[in-house]
Amino acid sequence: MTARSSGGHRSLAGGVISVLVLLLGATACDGASANKWLSDHGRPTLSGAELSRFAAIATTIEQELARRKAFVGEIQPVTAERLGLSWREGCPVGPENLRLLKLSFWGMDGNGHTGELIVAESIASKTVKVFRTLWEEKFPINRMETAEKFARPTDFTPSGEFIESHAGPDLVNDTSAFFCRRSTGSTTNWSQHSYGTAIDINPVNNPYIKGTTIIPINGADFVRRGDQPGVITAKGPVVAAFKKAGFTWGGNWKSLKDYMHFSISGK
């Protein structure tokens, strides 16, 4: 944007400065306040079309600042009753070692939502920080509901072992964390989700791939990675946020790719 003065064209450096002032919360989101600040600092004031454009930019910034401040990141205890079929006696951790998180997330529909995750107490605070970053970056998440909402009694053997059916949260593209079950393809090793120390993000957009095996099956369209909504990429904000918090990404594994998966242990 440019404006004319007696000396010809001049840049709208003052307008840029005003926007920065707004970002720092130093003045109100209106032209009069901006012009007062500019005048007080010996800079050309704004008028006409440039003032209208400034007002539009300032309003957008103010709305974005309000959106960021609206982030919800609550940590609460969780009970065996609340865990439902996602937990049973004999699991590696008990309810007292887990926490229920209420988190804001930016939806695939371009709107803000509040979802729930269950994670280990030891990673609860750092998980909130990760999702605050994803909220600020507007990384789109399809849905965020805890795993027991997708578990049925018929999904378990009489002894209580989860039957690996590739259904549940993955199939409906649900971002989730704790779920007491064995590792994919194993009958003996506990999944890191059983400890509450692993989180899966948008499973359909970020499938597990080992040879010809794709989980969930409706993730086949995302085997070839690209810059699509909800897709996690090596240089994107999701990997960066989780890495900063001490998580390892399954998309970096060599023998297979688990693009949805972030864990503290690296497994």
Side-chain angles (χ1 to χ4, degrees), residues 55-106:
I57 293 170
T59 298
T60 299
I61 291 173
E62 188 174 65
Q63 291 172 345
E64 175 60 14
L65 290 174
R67 186 191 73 82
R68 291 188 177 209
K69 289 180 181 178
F71 174 80
V72 173
E74 300 176 2
I75 302 174
Q76 303 174 358
V78 66
T79 63
E81 181 181 13
R82 174 64 179 77
L83 293 170
L85 290 174
S86 71
W87 180 85
R88 64 184 184 279
E89 292 290 345
C91 288
V93 297
E96 69 277 7
N97 302 120
L98 299 169
R99 292 293 181 268
L100 173 65
L101 308 184
K102 292 187 180 295
L103 298 167
S104 297
F105 68 94
W106 196 250

Side-chain angles (χ1 to χ4, degrees), residues 134 232-245 247-249 251-252 259 262:
L134 301 191
I232 298 168
T233 58
K235 296 182 179 180
V238 182
V239 172
F242 273 101
K243 182 179 180 180
K244 184 177 181 180
F247 288 78
T248 296
W249 181 40
N252 285 329
Y259 291 111
F262 293 89

Side-chain angles (χ1 to χ4, degrees), residues 5 12 20 31 50 54 62 76 103 123 142 149 153 164 199 201 229:
S5 67
L12 266 182
L20 292 175
E50 66 180 14
F54 167 78
E62 188 174 65
Q76 303 174 358
L103 298 167
I123 69 166
N142 184 60
K149 291 182 170 58
E164 188 70 62
I199 301 170
I201 308 289

Side-chain angles (χ1 to χ4, degrees), residues 178-195:
F178 175 78
F179 189 12
C180 185
R181 60 175 178 80
R182 302 294 178 180
S183 297
T184 300
S186 174
T187 59
T188 56
N189 297 325
W190 290 110
S191 163
Q192 295 304 298
H193 293 283
S194 299
Y195 299 90

Side-chain angles (χ1 to χ4, degrees), residues 212-228:
T212 59
T213 299
I214 300 171
I215 303 172
I217 56 173
N218 53 338
D221 289 343
F222 295 93
V223 170
R224 180 173 294 180
R225 313 303 288 161
D227 187 16
Q228 302 154 280

